[in-house]
Amino acid sequence: MTDLLGWRRKFAVLIPSTNTIVQPEFDDMRVEGVTNHISRVAVPNATLKTDADMERFMGLIEDGTRAALDAALSCAPDHVIIGMSSETFWGGLAGSRVLAAQLAEWTDLPVTMGSDAADAALRAYGARRLGILTPYLPVGDANVHRFFTDLGYDVAQIIGLKRSSPTDIAATTIAEIDAALDELGALDVDAILQCGTNLCMAAHAPRAEARLGKPVIAINTALYWHALRSSGIHDTHDRYGSLFLK
């Protein structure tokens, strides 16, 4: 039987319980006949002051992912979106592939991860030299750098905002984001990529694109765009930058 609201696709979306940005941004990007169904990975709002703190937090997310996925699958979705980006970059390309293989073992559904979505978005622009913005501590930035250089990208600079807790990421101001984007935009780069799904960037990226004159790709936009396009859905948006026109 066909779901009356999700008659084109039902997306199961996994996010940490501390994440308050993915759900509203994805709901704003929703197109007719597509519905989003959030399953939360239960984690504490831990202090993130050191690389060791971030490593421990990543372990908590890894521990809770299977249970959150099992809960999500009970609504019989058509596609799974991993609404967490740092986990998909951890360990570089090899680590990303291990995670993809693990998810494939747990479900026979198509899965969109931040790492694959970001790569697909960058390839859609033909971008090779990158500026990257994250909310992470240095260990997170190192894993992002490793992933993209493993794929052959030239990473000119990563700016990590070093947010002090998971929920603090969502409190990052537009002024802080713009200052980092302006610094990256002054470089000789083909595109700017923002990582960190709890950083509020989807609706702001188009304004940054217009100001900087180059693609600015928000990770949540890349995730939802990739899930739609992978599902054969080519609806466009005029609120979320040039990526949604591809």
Side-chain angles (χ1 to χ4, degrees), residues 120-121 123-126 215 225 229 233-236 241-246:
R123 286 188 285 108
Y125 288 103
W225 167 84
R229 299 299 183 261
I233 298 172
H234 294 277
D235 297 43
T236 60
S242 56
L243 183 61
F244 255 110
L245 302 179
K246 295 183 178 294

Side-chain angles (χ1 to χ4, degrees), residues 1-219:
M1 298 178 66
T2 301
D3 189 281
L4 291 185
L5 290 180
W7 52 271
R8 296 168 86 185
R9 285 294 186 278
K10 292 186 291 185
F11 289 157
V13 183
L14 270 61
I15 61 175
S17 56
T18 52
N19 191 308
T20 57
I21 299 300
V22 168
Q23 184 169 0
E25 288 195 340
F26 277 14
D27 284 345
D28 283 347
M29 293 179 211
R30 195 170 67 83
V31 300
E32 183 179 6
V34 175
T35 52
N36 306 321
H37 307 281
I38 305 299
S39 185
R40 293 182 173 268
V41 179
V43 291
N45 185 31
T47 298
L48 301 176
K49 291 186 177 180
T50 68
D51 285 347
D53 290 339
M54 188 168 184
E55 293 270 13
R56 281 191 291 271
F57 186 71
M58 296 291 293
L60 293 173
I61 291 177
E62 182 179 356
D63 291 344
T65 295
R66 179 62 188 268
L69 180 60
D70 287 345
L73 294 177
S74 67
C75 75
D78 304 297
H79 193 111
V80 175
I81 304 175
I82 306 302
M84 310 175 272
S85 63
S86 57
E87 294 75 12
T88 69
F89 298 121
W90 217 258
L93 181 59
S96 181
R97 287 177 172 168
V98 167
L99 177 59
Q102 187 174 54
L103 291 168
E105 289 181 6
W106 294 344
T107 174
D108 59 359
L109 298 174
V111 177
T112 287
M113 304 197 311
S115 51
D116 295 334
D119 179 39
L122 291 166
R123 286 188 285 108
Y125 288 103
R128 299 309 302 172
R129 183 169 167 80
L130 314 178
I132 301 176
L133 170 63
T134 85
Y136 306 144
L137 294 165
V139 66
D141 291 343
N143 280 278
V144 171
H145 185 277
R146 178 180 174 186
F147 174 82
F148 286 105
T149 54
D150 284 349
L151 284 175
Y153 289 97
D154 178 7
V155 179
Q157 183 179 353
I158 297 181
I159 296 177
L161 298 177
K162 303 178 180 66
R163 308 314 295 181
S164 61
S165 72
T167 57
D168 189 44
I169 296 171
T172 306
T173 67
I174 294 299
E176 291 172 308
I177 290 170
D178 275 343
L181 292 177
D182 287 346
E183 183 176 343
L184 294 170
L187 302 174
D188 179 20
V189 295
D190 301 321
I192 297 169
L193 173 68
Q194 170 261 317
C195 301
T197 62
N198 206 27
L199 192 62
C200 187
M201 269 284 292
H204 185 62
R207 295 191 288 273
E209 280 191 334
R211 186 177 76 252
L212 299 173
K214 58 189 65 178
V216 177
I217 302 168
I219 192 67

